Amino acid sequence: MLKRDKLAEFDLLPYFRAVVCSADIGAAKPAAAAFHAALRALDATCEESAHIGDSLTNDVQGALGSGLHAVWLN
């Protein structure tokens, strides 16, 4: 099940300006393409954005390697 579908199932989709699914863009974290797709969807820049995640490799290292700030939620 795509993340978008899971959010819709619980009526949470309206709380997000954008949802980027790896299946839609053909790239997954930690690939820079995944982070840059999210930035494009939000019309945001690396410098003004932070990615929050629980995976040191996929989230933190992926975000930092893509030029974003990163927060590790461990």
Side-chain angles (χ1 to χ4, degrees), residues 18 25-26 30-31 35 37-38 40 43 47 52 61 65-66 68 70 72 74:
I25 62 167
F35 294 95
R40 282 191 304 277
D43 194 28
E47 297 79 20
I52 302 169
Q61 292 175 350
S66 301
L68 283 83
W72 186 21
N74 184 8

Side-chain angles (χ1 to χ4, degrees), residues 11-52:
D11 296 322
L12 295 173
L13 206 49
Y15 296 99
F16 295 88
R17 284 187 21 209
V19 176
V20 177
C21 297
S22 59
D24 294 339
I25 62 167
K29 298 178 297 182
F35 294 95
H36 293 164
L39 291 172
R40 282 191 304 277
L42 294 167
D43 194 28
T45 66
C46 292
E47 297 79 20
E48 65 187 3
S49 303
H51 178 79
I52 302 169

